[in-house]
Amino acid sequence: MTRWLIIGLAWVLASATVLVGSRYAVNAWVGDPGAVPATALDARSFGDASAPPADRAVAGSTRLTPVKPQVLLDSRKVGALPAGVDVTVPVPETAAGTSAVLVEVSILAAKGPGEVTVGQGTDRTTVLRVPKAGAQTSATVVAHLAPDGDLRASTTGGGDLLIRLVGVFEPADRSDAGRIVAVPPARVVTLVPRTDGKKASVALAEVRQLADAGPISAVILRVTADVGSNGGLVSAGTRAGDLNQTVYWSATSGSDRTRSGLMVIPISNGSVHLRYEAGTEMRADLVGYLTGTGAPESSEGLVVPVPPHTPEPVRTTEQSDAEITLGTTETLANVPVDRIAAALLTVTATGDAEGSVKVGGKPTLTASKGAARSALTLVETPQARVRVQSAVAATVTVTPHALVLTG
């Protein structure tokens, strides 16, 4: 009897050491279990990992696999793009069936006002709005690939276009790694360069909201800055000497000084490093993370990229609180509304005056008088609805790009 117990125990221990890998993924184990209550999309709430996979599968579901950021296009090496040009951006080979990727798009030294779009034909998505010549701005974008597997991009105003690959949406019905977990925003960095210097680091094991996360492959940070009259940028990476992602902002004037961006940063050694240039203050909030290899296997937290579409704008009044539906069954990729827990979405607001806009109770952007301002965010959207609170009368559009599944 003792002999069989020893054999059984050895088999269990050996099985526990097996990890399923991905050719893209980088992972880290963060924190000790049991320290923080489960959030709505916490890795511990995914249910029975042994449940049959077919009963909860959603067509089009994917896992978001972070990659080491890779420059796909940097027109500074060949000269600024002329106004109105369309470019084809080659994308490295991806898993079979991949139709969307996560990219960081920046326009630098714009030649004039205009827009930057990704996609082709009628399936174009406006990802950046450029207010004037000389401007610089960035956005993290869910980009749909052309049938040949490449990416199409265009700029109506011209300038230097920089595109980095940061993630791949790989088809999956269930997965351990690559599931998005949204968490309540948690401040992890406040940096005032005049007193703190330009550099900051975050030890993820010390972030309370990650104490029970288990293995993670990336963190999702919302960075916000008081940009000021010089413009500015935030660079991030897993090592101080390799900051391979950057969000750029143009100079501002008057009281309209706050700019923001969303960064999905792969994790390899349990820490994140940031550098802030030119502005007066930078803040970084953890808003989510991606599970890593060895997390519970589930369909919860998988992602369904949404086909490009243009939602109807909503008119808000001063100090309003409106509930907005993300779209129809068709525009939401036929995902049942009871399976939608959160979304990566862009909020665009044109204010009658300058004022703050909150989405899902989270500060998201500052509306500008008479000019469209956009920001990407990760927010809970139960039943495919989200609350938008606006301090000023404004025209607001909420555009979902990827839906995060619940169980």
Side-chain angles (χ1 to χ4, degrees):
M1 184 65 178
T2 301
R3 175 173 172 268
W4 286 110
L5 286 174
I6 293 174
I7 291 173
L9 179 60
W11 181 85
V12 170
L13 291 174
S15 299
T17 65
V18 177
L19 298 178
V20 179
S22 165
R23 66 190 180 96
Y24 289 112
V26 287
N27 304 286
W29 183 278
V30 178
D32 297 318
V36 180
T39 59
L41 285 176
D42 192 275
R44 293 166 299 142
S45 67
F46 290 143
D48 183 4
S50 64
D55 61 347
R56 302 304 295 172
V58 172
S61 64
T62 69
R63 61 182 183 182
L64 175 54
T65 302
V67 305
K68 182 176 181 179
Q70 177 181 350
V71 174
L72 303 180
L73 172 68
D74 187 350
S75 67
R76 292 174 296 181
K77 297 179 179 180
V78 296
L81 300 176
V85 71
D86 289 300
V87 294
T88 296
V89 183
V91 175
E93 183 180 357
T94 58
T98 297
S99 61
V101 293
L102 191 71
V103 292
E104 186 182 80
V105 180
S106 301
I107 189 76
L108 309 173
K111 287 181 171 292
E115 297 179 340
V116 176
T117 64
V118 296
Q120 60 181 347
T122 58
D123 291 335
R124 292 179 183 269
T125 301
T126 299
V127 298
L128 295 173
R129 291 175 173 84
V130 183
K132 60 183 179 180
Q136 61 179 25
T137 184
S138 303
T140 300
V141 176
V142 177
H144 294 260
L145 302 178
D148 59 8
D150 288 336
L151 180 66
R152 307 286 192 266
S154 65
T155 169
T156 60
D160 285 316
L161 192 59
L162 174 61
I163 300 178
R164 285 190 181 95
L165 179 69
V166 296
V168 177
F169 292 93
E170 300 179 337
D173 290 335
R174 287 168 67 86
S175 183
D176 54 352
R179 293 180 286 105
I180 293 181
V181 179
V183 301
R187 181 65 44 83
V188 292
V189 171
T190 300
L191 183 68
V192 179
R194 180 175 295 180
T195 56
D196 303 325
K198 299 179 179 181
K199 300 178 181 180
S201 62
V202 182
L204 300 179
E206 298 176 5
V207 178
R208 186 176 63 86
Q209 286 73 13
L210 295 177
D212 209 23
I216 67 175
S217 57
V219 292
I220 305 174
L221 298 184
R222 180 176 182 267
V223 291
T224 307
D226 183 338
V227 177
S229 59
N230 295 320
L233 58 89
V234 173
S235 296
T238 57
R239 294 187 295 110
D242 186 22
L243 303 182
N244 47 26
Q245 291 180 249
T246 302
V247 173
Y248 297 88
W249 295 299
S250 292
T252 62
S253 60
S255 59
D256 182 18
R257 300 168 59 95
T258 303
R259 298 293 183 269
S260 63
L262 198 72
M263 306 183 82
V264 179
I265 305 171
I267 299 303
S268 59
N269 58 7
S271 63
V272 170
H273 295 263
L274 302 105
R275 181 182 178 90
Y276 178 47
E277 296 281 356
T280 60
E281 182 178 279
M282 185 271 290
R283 301 169 295 279
D285 294 288
L286 177 78
V287 296
Y289 61 88
L290 297 180
T291 58
T293 301
E297 186 179 281
S298 176
S299 62
E300 186 166 6
L302 292 179
V303 188
V304 180
V306 174
H309 71 288
T310 304
E312 290 294 324
V314 174
R315 184 68 183 167
T316 65
T317 58
E318 185 177 353
Q319 302 301 329
S320 64
D321 185 342
E323 186 175 66
I324 296 178
T325 301
L326 296 186
T328 65
T329 300
E330 182 180 1
T331 62
L332 296 179
N334 296 313
V335 178
V337 294
D338 64 348
R339 293 298 307 277
I340 300 173
L344 283 168
L345 51 82
T346 295
V347 181
T348 303
T350 304
D352 292 358
E354 181 184 315
S356 65
V357 176
K358 294 181 179 180
V359 178
K362 304 173 183 178
T364 303
L365 58 82
T366 300
S368 179
K369 182 178 180 179
R373 184 73 53 72
S374 297
L376 179 73
T377 188
L378 170 65
V379 64
E380 292 83 359
T381 55
Q383 297 295 312
R385 295 176 178 271
V386 66
R387 301 204 71 84
V388 174
Q389 298 165 301
S390 179
V392 298
T395 301
V396 179
T397 303
V398 175
T399 308
H401 304 293
L403 308 174
V404 182
L405 301 179
T406 187

